[in-house]
Amino acid sequence: MTKPLYVGIATSTGDGRAGGRARTDDGLLELSLAIPKEMGGPGGATNPEQLFAAGWASCFHSALKAVAAQRKVSITDSAVVAEVQVHSTPEGGFSLSAALHAELSGVDQGTADQLVEGAHAICPYSNATRGNIPVTVDATVG
């Protein structure tokens, strides 16, 4: 593996996702955590799946823009929605799956699909999860 271009560092304290806190080493992100109501918790604070979804959506969106620029395709507007789902396993544990939805304007559906596939090929989050969790990607042209 090559030398890292960047290292993101975050620390979880307290009871982790069950009422703990998470903080980045630079202090730019500091927040409380809670188990979602849907999973039997109190809700009222963010959770690791939301943080993962926000990171992946942002990273994938940047990858999408990079692929469009590389291919000299002009996008007039875009957004990426990442859905990270938690599933229970038969062994009593948990697993994840994800869906990435890109919304694009200024291109036809075929081009949008190609851009999304290109973004999925270069996005670090997509590469990290490839083959590890079920992931779907799609594009909607508006």
Side-chain angles (χ1 to χ4, degrees):
M1 188 158 272
T2 63
K3 181 180 176 187
L5 299 172
Y6 170 74
V7 178
I9 300 171
T11 302
S12 173
T13 58
D15 291 326
R17 73 179 298 132
R21 295 195 53 79
R23 182 182 191 279
T24 57
D25 64 325
D26 59 10
L28 293 175
L29 178 69
E30 186 167 359
L31 44 82
S32 298
L33 300 165
I35 297 172
K37 288 182 180 181
E38 297 85 350
M39 293 178 64
T46 195
N47 59 68
E49 292 73 35
Q50 289 174 320
L51 295 170
F52 188 54
W56 199 348
S58 300
C59 189
F60 194 90
H61 197 187
S62 291
L64 181 65
K65 296 273 191 161
V67 169
Q70 181 183 51
R71 297 181 184 180
K72 297 181 180 12
V73 174
S74 179
I75 300 171
T76 56
D77 195 20
S78 60
V80 173
V81 177
E83 297 177 19
V84 175
Q85 303 101 23
V86 178
H87 307 272
S88 57
T89 65
E91 301 80 28
F94 300 94
S95 65
L96 298 175
S97 66
L100 300 171
H101 309 287
E103 302 165 357
L104 307 162
S105 296
V107 296
D108 61 51
Q109 186 65 51
T111 302
D113 292 339
Q114 289 174 358
L115 293 174
V116 165
E117 288 302 320
H120 194 46
I122 68 167
C123 174
Y125 282 73
S126 295
N127 287 328
T129 57
R130 188 169 287 110
N132 296 311
I133 67 171
V135 178
T136 61
V137 297
D138 62 57
T140 302
V141 174

